[in-house]
């Protein structure tokens, strides 16, 4: 089944930066104009939480309060790619990061509305 593939995770020092990328697993994964693409993360023992989202049609961006001002989501429509630039990293940013697609842009925060989850990419922030 088609899904998104996340990459770019790794070790990051507190206060440092990391960049993540998310691309479709194959040409069968289509991102439509009314979709919103979201980044989520899951820390050990915690539920998956919304991090950032971007609407495909008009590039509107959403952020959780915990990352606002530090993370930037972007997209390259021609590549069906979504990126997450993470700056000023904090220990609480540690987790597995996932991206997925939601066909309802109005429910951009609702993890249950997303599909096409990949395996995720691990981000570990150390001091």
């Amino acid at each position: 089944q088609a899904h998104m593939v996340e990459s770019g995770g790794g070790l990051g020092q507190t206060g440092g930066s990391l960049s993540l990328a998310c691309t479709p697993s194959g040409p069968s994964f289509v991102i439509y104009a009314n979709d919103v693409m979201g980044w989520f993360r899951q820390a050990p023992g915690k539920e998956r939480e919304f991090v950032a989202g971007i609407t495909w049609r008009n590039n509107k961006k959403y952020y959780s309060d915990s990352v606002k001002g530090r993370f930037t989501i972007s997209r390259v429509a021609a590549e069906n790619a979504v990126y997450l630039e993470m700056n000023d990293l904090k220990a609480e940013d540690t987790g597995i990061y996932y991206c997925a697609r939601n066909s309802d842009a109005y429910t951009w925060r609702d993890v249950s509305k997303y599909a096409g989850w990949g395996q995720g990419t691990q981000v570990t922030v150390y001091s």
Side-chain angles (χ1 to χ4, degrees):
Q1 188 173 1
H3 56 274
M4 299 301 286
V5 179
E6 303 89 352
S7 62
L11 293 174
Q13 195 167 16
T14 301
S17 300
L18 284 174
S19 297
L20 305 182
C22 176
T23 54
S25 60
S28 62
F29 192 99
V30 179
I31 301 175
Y32 298 97
N34 290 332
D35 288 348
V36 56
M37 297 299 296
W39 280 101
F40 293 78
R41 67 187 180 191
Q42 189 165 16
K46 294 188 176 181
E47 294 186 353
R48 194 169 299 187
E49 64 173 357
F50 172 82
V51 174
I54 187 166
T55 61
W56 213 247
R57 182 185 296 279
N58 56 14
N59 208 30
K60 185 173 177 62
K61 302 174 183 181
Y62 305 96
Y63 298 96
S64 68
D65 289 342
S66 62
V67 307
K68 195 174 296 181
R70 300 189 297 119
F71 290 11
T72 300
I73 189 171
S74 62
R75 63 159 174 71
V76 176
E79 300 173 358
N80 277 344
V82 185
Y83 300 94
L84 188 68
E85 179 71 26
M86 305 186 295
N87 298 315
D88 190 20
L89 289 168
K90 301 179 179 182
E92 52 263 41
D93 295 324
T94 294
I96 300 175
Y97 283 69
Y98 304 87
C99 73
R101 179 176 70 86
N102 182 353
S103 60
D104 181 1
Y106 291 102
T107 59
W108 51 266
R109 189 185 287 274
D110 189 346
V111 64
S112 69
K113 301 296 186 181
Y114 284 80
W117 299 95
Q119 295 296 313
T121 185
Q122 175 71 46
V123 170
T124 303
V125 181
Y126 66 95
S127 58

